[in-house]
PDB file of all heavy atoms in Angstrom:
ATOM      1  N   GLY N 141     118.566  91.876  94.309  1.00  0.00           N
ATOM      2  CA  GLY N 141     118.958  90.465  93.984  1.00  0.00           C
ATOM      3  C   GLY N 141     120.402  90.210  94.272  1.00  0.00           C
ATOM      4  O   GLY N 141     121.086  91.015  94.836  1.00  0.00           O
ATOM      5  N   GLY N 142     120.878  89.133  93.729  1.00  0.00           N
ATOM      6  CA  GLY N 142     122.287  88.748  93.916  1.00  0.00           C
ATOM      7  C   GLY N 142     122.532  88.418  95.396  1.00  0.00           C
ATOM      8  O   GLY N 142     121.658  87.899  96.088  1.00  0.00           O
ATOM      9  N   GLU N 143     123.758  88.747  95.831  1.00  0.00           N
ATOM     10  CA  GLU N 143     124.156  88.357  97.184  1.00  0.00           C
ATOM     11  C   GLU N 143     124.636  89.553  97.995  1.00  0.00           C
ATOM     12  O   GLU N 143     125.193  90.523  97.347  1.00  0.00           O
ATOM     13  CB  GLU N 143     125.263  87.307  97.129  1.00  0.00           C
ATOM     14  CG  GLU N 143     124.920  86.133  96.343  1.00  0.00           C
ATOM     15  CD  GLU N 143     125.507  84.808  96.838  1.00  0.00           C
ATOM     16  OE1 GLU N 143     126.408  84.906  97.725  1.00  0.00           O
ATOM     17  OE2 GLU N 143     125.163  83.771  96.353  1.00  0.00           O
ATOM     18  N   PRO N 144     124.498  89.499  99.299  1.00  0.00           N
ATOM     19  CA  PRO N 144     125.098  90.590 100.092  1.00  0.00           C
ATOM     20  C   PRO N 144     126.619  90.532 100.034  1.00  0.00           C
ATOM     21  O   PRO N 144     127.199  89.518  99.735  1.00  0.00           O
ATOM     22  CB  PRO N 144     124.521  90.250 101.546  1.00  0.00           C
ATOM     23  CG  PRO N 144     124.225  88.819 101.470  1.00  0.00           C
ATOM     24  CD  PRO N 144     123.833  88.484 100.064  1.00  0.00           C
ATOM     25  N   GLN N 145     127.240  91.659 100.390  1.00  0.00           N
ATOM     26  CA  GLN N 145     128.658  91.766 100.403  1.00  0.00           C
ATOM     27  C   GLN N 145     129.186  92.229 101.769  1.00  0.00           C
ATOM     28  O   GLN N 145     128.405  92.526 102.680  1.00  0.00           O
ATOM     29  CB  GLN N 145     129.093  92.835  99.338  1.00  0.00           C
ATOM     30  CG  GLN N 145     128.521  92.731  98.005  1.00  0.00           C
ATOM     31  CD  GLN N 145     129.047  91.509  97.215  1.00  0.00           C
ATOM     32  OE1 GLN N 145     130.228  91.138  97.392  1.00  0.00           O
ATOM     33  NE2 GLN N 145     128.255  90.905  96.360  1.00  0.00           N
ATOM     34  N   GLY N 146     130.477  92.317 101.852  1.00  0.00           N
ATOM     35  CA  GLY N 146     131.143  93.016 102.993  1.00  0.00           C
ATOM     36  C   GLY N 146     130.729  92.544 104.376  1.00  0.00           C
ATOM     37  O   GLY N 146     130.566  91.334 104.609  1.00  0.00           O
ATOM     38  N   LYS N 147     130.530  93.518 105.250  1.00  0.00           N
ATOM     39  CA  LYS N 147     130.260  93.223 106.666  1.00  0.00           C
ATOM     40  C   LYS N 147     128.955  92.444 106.836  1.00  0.00           C
ATOM     41  O   LYS N 147     128.817  91.614 107.718  1.00  0.00           O
ATOM     42  CB  LYS N 147     130.301  94.489 107.499  1.00  0.00           C
ATOM     43  CG  LYS N 147     131.676  95.088 107.609  1.00  0.00           C
ATOM     44  CD  LYS N 147     131.798  96.100 108.737  1.00  0.00           C
ATOM     45  CE  LYS N 147     133.232  96.460 109.018  1.00  0.00           C
ATOM     46  NZ  LYS N 147     133.405  97.847 109.437  1.00  0.00           N
ATOM     47  N   LEU N 148     127.984  92.766 106.027  1.00  0.00           N
ATOM     48  CA  LEU N 148     126.740  92.088 106.147  1.00  0.00           C
ATOM     49  C   LEU N 148     126.870  90.622 105.835  1.00  0.00           C
ATOM     50  O   LEU N 148     126.365  89.770 106.575  1.00  0.00           O
ATOM     51  CB  LEU N 148     125.688  92.728 105.150  1.00  0.00           C
ATOM     52  CG  LEU N 148     124.327  92.010 105.012  1.00  0.00           C
ATOM     53  CD1 LEU N 148     123.625  91.890 106.358  1.00  0.00           C
ATOM     54  CD2 LEU N 148     123.464  92.683 103.996  1.00  0.00           C
ATOM     55  N   LEU N 149     127.620  90.326 104.723  1.00  0.00           N
ATOM     56  CA  LEU N 149     127.857  88.913 104.387  1.00  0.00           C
ATOM     57  C   LEU N 149     128.616  88.163 105.478  1.00  0.00           C
ATOM     58  O   LEU N 149     128.301  87.022 105.837  1.00  0.00           O
ATOM     59  CB  LEU N 149     128.604  88.844 103.027  1.00  0.00           C
ATOM     60  CG  LEU N 149     128.902  87.442 102.529  1.00  0.00           C
ATOM     61  CD1 LEU N 149     127.612  86.645 102.290  1.00  0.00           C
ATOM     62  CD2 LEU N 149     129.752  87.500 101.239  1.00  0.00           C
ATOM     63  N   GLU N 150     129.603  88.866 106.042  1.00  0.00           N
ATOM     64  CA  GLU N 150     130.370  88.246 107.165  1.00  0.00           C
ATOM     65  C   GLU N 150     129.434  87.927 108.331  1.00  0.00           C
ATOM     66  O   GLU N 150     129.521  86.785 108.907  1.00  0.00           O
ATOM     67  CB  GLU N 150     131.410  89.222 107.670  1.00  0.00           C
ATOM     68  CG  GLU N 150     132.697  89.317 106.890  1.00  0.00           C
ATOM     69  CD  GLU N 150     133.596  90.471 107.325  1.00  0.00           C
ATOM     70  OE1 GLU N 150     133.665  90.720 108.546  1.00  0.00           O
ATOM     71  OE2 GLU N 150     134.206  91.157 106.488  1.00  0.00           O
ATOM     72  N   ALA N 151     128.602  88.850 108.670  1.00  0.00           N
ATOM     73  CA  ALA N 151     127.676  88.627 109.793  1.00  0.00           C
ATOM     74  C   ALA N 151     126.730  87.491 109.517  1.00  0.00           C
ATOM     75  O   ALA N 151     126.445  86.685 110.368  1.00  0.00           O
ATOM     76  CB  ALA N 151     126.898  89.912 110.082  1.00  0.00           C
ATOM     77  N   ILE N 152     126.227  87.383 108.239  1.00  0.00           N
ATOM     78  CA  ILE N 152     125.334  86.334 107.870  1.00  0.00           C
ATOM     79  C   ILE N 152     126.041  84.963 107.978  1.00  0.00           C
ATOM     80  O   ILE N 152     125.470  84.017 108.530  1.00  0.00           O
ATOM     81  CB  ILE N 152     124.774  86.558 106.441  1.00  0.00           C
ATOM     82  CG1 ILE N 152     123.788  87.726 106.448  1.00  0.00           C
ATOM     83  CG2 ILE N 152     124.195  85.288 105.885  1.00  0.00           C
ATOM     84  CD1 ILE N 152     123.331  88.184 105.063  1.00  0.00           C
ATOM     85  N   LYS N 153     127.271  84.901 107.471  1.00  0.00           N
ATOM     86  CA  LYS N 153     128.006  83.647 107.579  1.00  0.00           C
ATOM     87  C   LYS N 153     128.250  83.246 109.020  1.00  0.00           C
ATOM     88  O   LYS N 153     128.139  82.068 109.386  1.00  0.00           O
ATOM     89  CB  LYS N 153     129.301  83.790 106.813  1.00  0.00           C
ATOM     90  CG  LYS N 153     129.226  83.739 105.314  1.00  0.00           C
ATOM     91  CD  LYS N 153     130.564  83.817 104.600  1.00  0.00           C
ATOM     92  CE  LYS N 153     130.397  83.827 103.074  1.00  0.00           C
ATOM     93  NZ  LYS N 153     131.576  84.245 102.412  1.00  0.00           N
ATOM     94  N   ARG N 154     128.618  84.265 109.795  1.00  0.00           N
ATOM     95  CA  ARG N 154     128.970  84.032 111.207  1.00  0.00           C
ATOM     96  C   ARG N 154     127.715  83.487 111.975  1.00  0.00           C
ATOM     97  O   ARG N 154     127.805  82.566 112.793  1.00  0.00           O
ATOM     98  CB  ARG N 154     129.433  85.285 111.871  1.00  0.00           C
ATOM     99  CG  ARG N 154     129.806  85.167 113.327  1.00  0.00           C
ATOM    100  CD  ARG N 154     129.887  86.548 114.002  1.00  0.00           C
ATOM    101  NE  ARG N 154     128.574  87.186 114.032  1.00  0.00           N
ATOM    102  CZ  ARG N 154     128.387  88.488 113.954  1.00  0.00           C
ATOM    103  NH1 ARG N 154     129.416  89.322 113.941  1.00  0.00           N
ATOM    104  NH2 ARG N 154     127.157  89.006 114.021  1.00  0.00           N
ATOM    105  N   ASP N 155     126.527  84.127 111.716  1.00  0.00           N
ATOM    106  CA  ASP N 155     125.336  83.807 112.505  1.00  0.00           C
ATOM    107  C   ASP N 155     124.447  82.727 111.944  1.00  0.00           C
ATOM    108  O   ASP N 155     123.609  82.198 112.656  1.00  0.00           O
ATOM    109  CB  ASP N 155     124.538  85.118 112.721  1.00  0.00           C
ATOM    110  CG  ASP N 155     125.339  86.151 113.546  1.00  0.00           C
ATOM    111  OD1 ASP N 155     126.205  85.751 114.366  1.00  0.00           O
ATOM    112  OD2 ASP N 155     125.054  87.355 113.345  1.00  0.00           O
ATOM    113  N   PHE N 156     124.620  82.383 110.640  1.00  0.00           N
ATOM    114  CA  PHE N 156     123.757  81.378 110.049  1.00  0.00           C
ATOM    115  C   PHE N 156     124.539  80.214 109.367  1.00  0.00           C
ATOM    116  O   PHE N 156     123.938  79.238 108.974  1.00  0.00           O
ATOM    117  CB  PHE N 156     122.749  81.977 109.070  1.00  0.00           C
ATOM    118  CG  PHE N 156     121.863  83.006 109.711  1.00  0.00           C
ATOM    119  CD1 PHE N 156     122.056  84.382 109.567  1.00  0.00           C
ATOM    120  CD2 PHE N 156     120.794  82.591 110.470  1.00  0.00           C
ATOM    121  CE1 PHE N 156     121.266  85.315 110.215  1.00  0.00           C
ATOM    122  CE2 PHE N 156     119.986  83.511 111.098  1.00  0.00           C
ATOM    123  CZ  PHE N 156     120.220  84.865 110.968  1.00  0.00           C
ATOM    124  N   GLY N 157     125.842  80.454 109.165  1.00  0.00           N
ATOM    125  CA  GLY N 157     126.638  79.420 108.507  1.00  0.00           C
ATOM    126  C   GLY N 157     126.916  79.761 107.051  1.00  0.00           C
ATOM    127  O   GLY N 157     128.026  79.632 106.544  1.00  0.00           O
ATOM    128  N   SER N 158     125.888  80.209 106.349  1.00  0.00           N
ATOM    129  CA  SER N 158     126.055  80.670 104.986  1.00  0.00           C
ATOM    130  C   SER N 158     124.847  81.478 104.590  1.00  0.00           C
ATOM    131  O   SER N 158     123.841  81.505 105.243  1.00  0.00           O
ATOM    132  CB  SER N 158     126.146  79.393 104.030  1.00  0.00           C
ATOM    133  OG  SER N 158     124.847  78.762 104.012  1.00  0.00           O
ATOM    134  N   PHE N 159     125.003  82.185 103.465  1.00  0.00           N
ATOM    135  CA  PHE N 159     123.927  83.026 102.941  1.00  0.00           C
ATOM    136  C   PHE N 159     122.715  82.125 102.601  1.00  0.00           C
ATOM    137  O   PHE N 159     121.586  82.478 102.896  1.00  0.00           O
ATOM    138  CB  PHE N 159     124.429  83.775 101.656  1.00  0.00           C
ATOM    139  CG  PHE N 159     123.346  84.493 100.916  1.00  0.00           C
ATOM    140  CD1 PHE N 159     122.550  85.462 101.588  1.00  0.00           C
ATOM    141  CD2 PHE N 159     123.149  84.283  99.557  1.00  0.00           C
ATOM    142  CE1 PHE N 159     121.537  86.173 100.886  1.00  0.00           C
ATOM    143  CE2 PHE N 159     122.165  84.929  98.827  1.00  0.00           C
ATOM    144  CZ  PHE N 159     121.347  85.903  99.512  1.00  0.00           C
ATOM    145  N   GLN N 160     122.951  80.994 101.992  1.00  0.00           N
ATOM    146  CA  GLN N 160     121.831  80.081 101.579  1.00  0.00           C
ATOM    147  C   GLN N 160     121.099  79.615 102.805  1.00  0.00           C
ATOM    148  O   GLN N 160     119.896  79.550 102.777  1.00  0.00           O
ATOM    149  CB  GLN N 160     122.452  78.903 100.811  1.00  0.00           C
ATOM    150  CG  GLN N 160     121.377  77.968 100.185  1.00  0.00           C
ATOM    151  CD  GLN N 160     120.425  78.728  99.260  1.00  0.00           C
ATOM    152  OE1 GLN N 160     120.890  79.506  98.453  1.00  0.00           O
ATOM    153  NE2 GLN N 160     119.154  78.473  99.382  1.00  0.00           N
ATOM    154  N   LYS N 161     121.819  79.282 103.882  1.00  0.00           N
ATOM    155  CA  LYS N 161     121.157  78.798 105.095  1.00  0.00           C
ATOM    156  C   LYS N 161     120.299  79.924 105.677  1.00  0.00           C
ATOM    157  O   LYS N 161     119.188  79.583 106.228  1.00  0.00           O
ATOM    158  CB  LYS N 161     122.168  78.298 106.100  1.00  0.00           C
ATOM    159  CG  LYS N 161     122.757  76.946 105.787  1.00  0.00           C
ATOM    160  CD  LYS N 161     123.628  76.452 106.951  1.00  0.00           C
ATOM    161  CE  LYS N 161     124.374  75.153 106.533  1.00  0.00           C
ATOM    162  NZ  LYS N 161     125.425  74.790 107.501  1.00  0.00           N
ATOM    163  N   MET N 162     120.789  81.139 105.624  1.00  0.00           N
ATOM    164  CA  MET N 162     120.007  82.262 106.155  1.00  0.00           C
ATOM    165  C   MET N 162     118.711  82.440 105.337  1.00  0.00           C
ATOM    166  O   MET N 162     117.621  82.526 105.880  1.00  0.00           O
ATOM    167  CB  MET N 162     120.826  83.547 106.164  1.00  0.00           C
ATOM    168  CG  MET N 162     120.153  84.762 106.781  1.00  0.00           C
ATOM    169  SD  MET N 162     118.947  85.607 105.728  1.00  0.00           S
ATOM    170  CE  MET N 162     120.031  86.412 104.567  1.00  0.00           C
ATOM    171  N   LYS N 163     118.880  82.402 104.035  1.00  0.00           N
ATOM    172  CA  LYS N 163     117.702  82.512 103.110  1.00  0.00           C
ATOM    173  C   LYS N 163     116.709  81.455 103.395  1.00  0.00           C
ATOM    174  O   LYS N 163     115.506  81.709 103.450  1.00  0.00           O
ATOM    175  CB  LYS N 163     118.179  82.447 101.629  1.00  0.00           C
ATOM    176  CG  LYS N 163     118.362  83.707 100.956  1.00  0.00           C
ATOM    177  CD  LYS N 163     118.798  83.657  99.509  1.00  0.00           C
ATOM    178  CE  LYS N 163     118.077  82.702  98.659  1.00  0.00           C
ATOM    179  NZ  LYS N 163     118.427  82.934  97.217  1.00  0.00           N
TER     180      LYS N 163
END
Side-chain angles (χ1 to χ4, degrees):
Chain N
E143 305 213 351
Q145 310 288 329
K147 290 196 169 148
L148 173 58
L149 181 60
E150 277 171 40
I152 287 172
K153 283 181 182 166
R154 182 197 64 211
D155 296 332
F156 299 102
S158 70
F159 172 55
Q160 188 58 44
K161 283 187 189 170
M162 185 280 287
K163 260 180 49 169

